[in-house]
Amino acid sequence: MENQKLLFSKNKTNRGRGSFRRNITSYIIEIEDRELNNYCINKIIMNVNYYIDKYSRIRLPLIILFNNEIKIIDKLTYIFLECICFYLINDLDIEVHISWKPQMDIITEGLNSSPLLLLSDRSKENVKKYVDKFKNDGYGSHYRRLVENSAENLCSVYQDVDSFFKIFYSCDSIKDKIAEIIAELVGNAFEHGCSDCLIDIDVANNYNTIIDNLKYDVYSVNLAVISFSSKLIGDELKQRLQKNNMIGERNEQLLKAFNNHRKYLFDEEYEEEDFYNIAVFQDSISGVDKGAVGGKGLTVLIKSLQQMSYENHCYMLSGNRAVSLKKEYLLYDDDNWIGFNREKDFFCIKPANGVISKCVTFMPGTAYNLDFIMIKGERNE
């Protein structure tokens, strides 16, 4: 993947590094965590950086050893682990293996189709297969593609995703929206980040849940889209706002909102970077000179799927900041400004608690995790 090295250079510190040891045949990173989350990923990166700096030239295999059963919190998190291994194997020519007992559920079932499974034994042949499976995979309920930056590829991605969902009758009412979301996010990665983009989708079936004492069959559509870049999602908008280069009534209103937030709303939890991150989701706001980065189309699509879902978990990462896309806060006022709060007030009220958060792992570029748990048989047209 382009710019993937930034994931390591931007998270270069020994803080939080776990256990690292060597035996006769390999180097071993020991992880004691019981949950694969952003903190655990950061710890793994810290150890990998240490290994790269100290021992990578020796070329002994690297083993990532999880000493406890570990719960996978969502798709994007294990995709980060895939990216770490891909960089080591593909870019640095290091043999990598993983020893673990992951715990999965409906939103992380896609791990059963992950290239990480190839690293669970000591086979060198499987390590070689890892690179191909990481870049492109499509079998059964799983779709994966590393998309190079081009207009032709953007068009083919929409068609591929649309074709993938045709085998799932339960997804008929949502497949067009999913394909549009994917095309929008990939297009944003091309236009904004000037980089390639990794897409991973799975459909998890054969689950049920209890709602109001009634048992329902459910399925989940789980998506992750990640693009590494030196540019964060709000960088271009940040430069324009700081230079007062905001032409047009809509952009002038955004500048007014920015000045108001800077004067009255920024604090320890809601920072200036967060404003840029939520501003790119506003209707008719250009994040780059060529056009919109996020905009109303994306949030409307996401919210429409959220309204059709029994449960959902959607967020965006860029830099060391996260934006949670909660449907109860994706509310527009009469002038199509999204408030990210119950008051639908983008100008005078900061985002609601839980919308903005800090990430211990710095994400160079932009990444999305979107999962939608649906009740089977509900058409929701």
Side-chain angles (χ1 to χ4, degrees):
M1 287 185 74
E2 295 177 6
N3 303 306
Q4 190 175 348
K5 186 177 181 180
L6 293 171
L7 181 62
F8 300 89
S9 63
K10 293 292 186 180
N11 291 284
K12 211 167 183 61
T13 172
N14 284 328
R15 183 190 60 204
R17 191 170 64 81
S19 175
F20 187 95
R21 60 184 172 87
R22 175 183 176 178
N23 60 23
I24 297 175
T25 59
S26 60
Y27 289 95
I28 302 171
I29 295 173
E30 289 192 87
I31 303 296
E32 300 292 339
D33 302 53
R34 296 180 182 273
E35 185 175 85
L36 189 68
N37 53 27
N38 196 258
Y39 290 93
C40 185
I41 291 296
N42 184 259
K43 187 180 297 182
I44 294 171
I45 294 174
M46 298 304 103
N47 279 277
V48 168
N49 272 331
Y50 180 78
Y51 167 81
I52 291 172
D53 290 343
K54 300 288 185 180
Y55 304 111
S56 60
R57 294 179 182 177
I58 301 176
R59 287 289 186 270
L60 282 178
L62 178 66
I63 299 173
I64 302 174
L65 172 63
F66 292 86
N67 285 324
N68 302 295
E69 287 191 1
I70 189 159
K71 178 177 175 57
I72 315 298
I73 64 163
D74 58 36
K75 175 182 279 291
L76 181 59
T77 305
Y78 75 74
I79 297 292
F80 272 121
L81 182 56
E82 291 180 356
C83 291
I84 292 169
C85 295
F86 179 78
Y87 177 73
L88 289 166
I89 295 168
N90 185 72
D91 293 43
L92 301 185
D93 193 28
I94 294 170
E95 184 181 333
V96 180
H97 301 283
I98 297 179
S99 177
W100 65 341
K101 293 181 179 179
Q103 298 175 333
M104 294 169 280
D105 56 24
I106 190 171
I107 65 172
T108 56
E109 187 185 281
L111 185 60
N112 285 321
S113 301
S114 168
L116 290 171
L117 300 184
L118 293 170
L119 306 181
S120 295
D121 59 34
R122 300 299 174 86
S123 167
K124 291 184 179 180
E125 191 63 30
N126 279 350
V127 174
K128 295 178 181 178
K129 292 178 181 178
Y130 184 91
V131 172
D132 291 336
K133 189 172 176 65
F134 179 92
K135 292 180 179 179
N136 199 326
D137 186 51
Y139 180 78
S141 60
H142 181 237
Y143 172 85
R144 150 73 68 90
R145 184 174 172 188
L146 179 59
V147 190
E148 294 182 353
N149 189 345
S150 75
E152 294 79 8
N153 284 338
L154 181 58
C155 181
S156 66
V157 163
Y158 181 92
Q159 295 171 345
D160 287 351
V161 173
D162 185 66
S163 298
F164 166 73
F165 278 104
K166 285 181 179 178
I167 68 173
F168 301 102
Y169 173 75
S170 57
C171 296
D172 279 355
S173 62
I174 65 171
K175 63 182 182 66
D176 289 342
K177 292 184 176 67
I178 296 290
E180 288 182 52
I181 286 175
I182 294 296
E184 180 98 14
L185 294 179
V186 173
N188 291 346
F190 289 173
E191 184 177 37
H192 167 75
C194 303
S195 185
D196 56 11
C197 188
L198 180 66
I199 308 164
D200 195 287
I201 308 171
D202 73 89
V203 178
N205 277 299
N206 302 318
Y207 288 85
N208 57 69
T209 190
I210 303 297
I211 306 174
D212 296 331
N213 296 320
L214 296 175
K215 185 177 180 180
Y216 291 88
D217 293 328
V218 296
Y219 68 98
S220 184
V221 178
N222 309 307
L223 303 87
V225 178
I226 185 167
S227 178
F228 294 109
S229 172
S230 59
K231 298 179 180 178
L232 303 184
I233 193 171
D235 278 356
E236 280 91 349
L237 190 57
K238 174 181 179 179
Q239 293 172 9
R240 294 173 54 208
L241 281 166
Q242 291 180 343
K243 294 178 181 178
N244 289 330
N245 183 23
M246 305 297 289
I247 301 173
E249 181 180 355
R250 191 81 175 167
N251 286 321
E252 289 173 358
Q253 287 180 297
L254 182 67
L255 178 59
K256 178 181 178 181
F258 171 68
N259 289 329
N260 197 54
H261 283 231
R262 181 168 56 180
K263 187 175 182 179
Y264 299 110
L265 301 181
F266 292 154
D267 54 29
E268 292 183 357
E269 295 182 355
Y270 175 51
E271 302 176 358
E272 186 173 324
E273 295 297 322
D274 300 318
F275 178 87
Y276 307 129
N277 290 347
I278 65 172
V280 297
F281 288 100
Q282 300 297 340
D283 184 24
S284 301
I285 295 298
S286 295
V288 293
D289 291 339
K290 296 178 182 178
V293 170
K296 186 176 181 181
L298 179 60
T299 50
V300 167
L301 287 168
I302 291 174
K303 186 176 180 180
S304 67
L305 286 172
Q306 290 174 325
Q307 290 173 332
M308 297 160 66
S309 306
Y310 161 62
E311 288 183 7
N312 70 90
H313 182 216
C314 303
Y315 64 88
M316 181 275 295
L317 302 179
S318 190
N320 63 354
R321 310 300 293 176
V323 178
S324 181
L325 303 171
K326 299 183 178 183
K327 65 179 179 181
E328 60 266 34
Y329 303 132
L330 296 181
L331 304 173
Y332 291 87
D333 66 13
D334 293 339
D335 294 319
N336 284 330
W337 294 99
I338 182 172
F340 288 94
N341 50 52
R342 293 191 184 278
E343 295 82 359
K344 298 188 290 185
D345 190 339
F346 173 63
F347 288 85
C348 298
I349 300 177
K350 68 180 183 180
N353 291 337
V355 170
I356 300 298
S357 59
K358 183 176 181 178
C359 299
V360 64
T361 302
F362 187 96
M363 169 58 207
T366 308
Y368 285 85
N369 182 90
L370 308 171
D371 60 65
F372 307 97
I373 303 176
M374 308 281 188
I375 298 175
K376 283 189 176 180
E378 292 193 355
R379 304 295 295 169
N380 293 310
E381 300 289 355

